[in-house]
Short mmCIF file of all heavy atoms in Angstrom, two decimals:
data_model
loop_
_atom_site.label_atom_id
_atom_site.label_comp_id
_atom_site.label_asym_id
_atom_site.label_seq_id
_atom_site.Cartn_x
_atom_site.Cartn_y
_atom_site.Cartn_z
N MET A 257 102.13 160.26 34.34
CA MET A 257 101.17 160.92 35.20
C MET A 257 100.72 162.21 34.60
O MET A 257 99.47 162.51 34.60
CB MET A 257 101.71 161.04 36.60
CG MET A 257 101.93 159.83 37.38
SD MET A 257 102.98 159.98 38.96
CE MET A 257 102.07 161.14 39.86
N ASN A 258 101.59 163.06 34.16
CA ASN A 258 101.24 164.28 33.55
C ASN A 258 100.36 164.10 32.28
O ASN A 258 99.46 164.97 32.12
CB ASN A 258 102.52 165.15 33.21
CG ASN A 258 103.33 165.64 34.34
OD1 ASN A 258 102.80 165.51 35.55
ND2 ASN A 258 104.52 165.95 34.07
N ASN A 259 100.56 163.04 31.60
CA ASN A 259 99.83 162.75 30.38
C ASN A 259 98.51 162.07 30.57
O ASN A 259 97.75 161.80 29.67
CB ASN A 259 100.63 161.96 29.37
CG ASN A 259 101.77 162.83 28.91
OD1 ASN A 259 101.78 164.04 28.90
ND2 ASN A 259 102.75 162.15 28.33
N ASN A 260 98.22 161.68 31.89
CA ASN A 260 96.97 160.80 32.12
C ASN A 260 96.21 161.35 33.28
O ASN A 260 95.59 160.54 33.93
CB ASN A 260 97.44 159.41 32.41
CG ASN A 260 97.89 158.66 31.13
OD1 ASN A 260 97.08 158.13 30.36
ND2 ASN A 260 99.14 158.60 30.86
N GLY A 261 96.24 162.66 33.42
CA GLY A 261 95.39 163.28 34.43
C GLY A 261 95.85 163.27 35.92
O GLY A 261 95.04 163.56 36.85
N PHE A 262 97.06 163.03 36.17
CA PHE A 262 97.63 162.98 37.56
C PHE A 262 98.77 164.08 37.70
O PHE A 262 99.73 163.76 38.51
CB PHE A 262 98.18 161.61 37.87
CG PHE A 262 97.07 160.51 37.98
CD1 PHE A 262 96.73 159.71 36.94
CD2 PHE A 262 96.26 160.34 39.12
CE1 PHE A 262 95.72 158.73 37.00
CE2 PHE A 262 95.33 159.47 39.17
CZ PHE A 262 95.03 158.71 38.06
N SER A 263 98.66 165.08 36.98
CA SER A 263 99.74 166.11 37.13
C SER A 263 99.87 166.66 38.51
O SER A 263 100.83 167.23 38.86
CB SER A 263 99.49 167.25 36.06
OG SER A 263 98.28 167.89 36.26
N ASN A 264 98.71 166.65 39.30
CA ASN A 264 98.70 167.27 40.60
C ASN A 264 99.16 166.23 41.76
O ASN A 264 99.22 166.64 42.88
CB ASN A 264 97.28 167.73 40.98
CG ASN A 264 96.96 168.95 40.11
OD1 ASN A 264 97.84 169.79 39.82
ND2 ASN A 264 95.62 169.11 39.84
N THR A 265 99.33 164.97 41.41
CA THR A 265 99.69 164.02 42.37
C THR A 265 101.37 164.04 42.40
O THR A 265 101.95 164.00 41.29
CB THR A 265 99.33 162.58 41.86
OG1 THR A 265 97.86 162.54 41.93
CG2 THR A 265 99.87 161.54 42.89
N LYS A 266 101.83 164.04 43.55
CA LYS A 266 103.24 164.19 43.77
C LYS A 266 103.96 162.80 43.79
O LYS A 266 103.43 161.85 44.07
CB LYS A 266 103.55 164.80 45.10
CG LYS A 266 102.99 166.24 45.22
CD LYS A 266 103.23 166.88 46.61
CE LYS A 266 102.66 168.20 46.70
NZ LYS A 266 102.94 168.85 47.99
N ILE A 267 105.26 162.72 43.31
CA ILE A 267 106.05 161.53 43.45
C ILE A 267 107.04 161.92 44.60
O ILE A 267 107.74 162.87 44.61
CB ILE A 267 106.81 161.26 42.25
CG1 ILE A 267 105.89 160.98 41.08
CG2 ILE A 267 107.68 160.00 42.45
CD1 ILE A 267 106.52 160.66 39.77
N ILE A 268 107.08 161.01 45.60
CA ILE A 268 107.85 161.18 46.82
C ILE A 268 108.97 160.04 46.74
O ILE A 268 108.51 158.81 46.63
CB ILE A 268 107.19 161.04 48.15
CG1 ILE A 268 106.00 162.15 48.05
CG2 ILE A 268 108.07 161.35 49.30
CD1 ILE A 268 106.50 163.62 47.93
N GLY A 269 110.28 160.42 46.79
CA GLY A 269 111.24 159.45 46.71
C GLY A 269 111.87 158.92 48.00
O GLY A 269 111.51 159.44 49.11
N TYR A 270 112.73 157.98 47.96
CA TYR A 270 113.61 157.46 49.02
C TYR A 270 112.80 156.59 49.94
O TYR A 270 112.90 155.33 49.93
CB TYR A 270 114.47 158.52 49.72
CG TYR A 270 115.33 158.02 50.68
CD1 TYR A 270 116.25 156.94 50.37
CD2 TYR A 270 115.37 158.46 51.94
CE1 TYR A 270 117.22 156.47 51.39
CE2 TYR A 270 116.35 157.95 53.01
CZ TYR A 270 117.04 156.99 52.64
OH TYR A 270 118.00 156.47 53.57
N GLU A 271 112.07 157.18 50.98
CA GLU A 271 111.23 156.39 51.83
C GLU A 271 112.10 155.44 52.73
O GLU A 271 111.70 154.21 52.79
CB GLU A 271 110.14 155.61 51.14
CG GLU A 271 108.98 156.40 50.76
CD GLU A 271 107.87 156.60 51.73
OE1 GLU A 271 108.04 156.09 52.91
OE2 GLU A 271 106.92 157.31 51.54
#
Side-chain angles (χ1 to χ4, degrees):
M257 289 165 61
N258 291 346
N259 292 338
N260 287 276
F262 292 95
S263 59
N264 292 328
T265 297
K266 300 178 181 182
I267 302 178
I268 306 302
Y270 186 49
E271 282 276 358

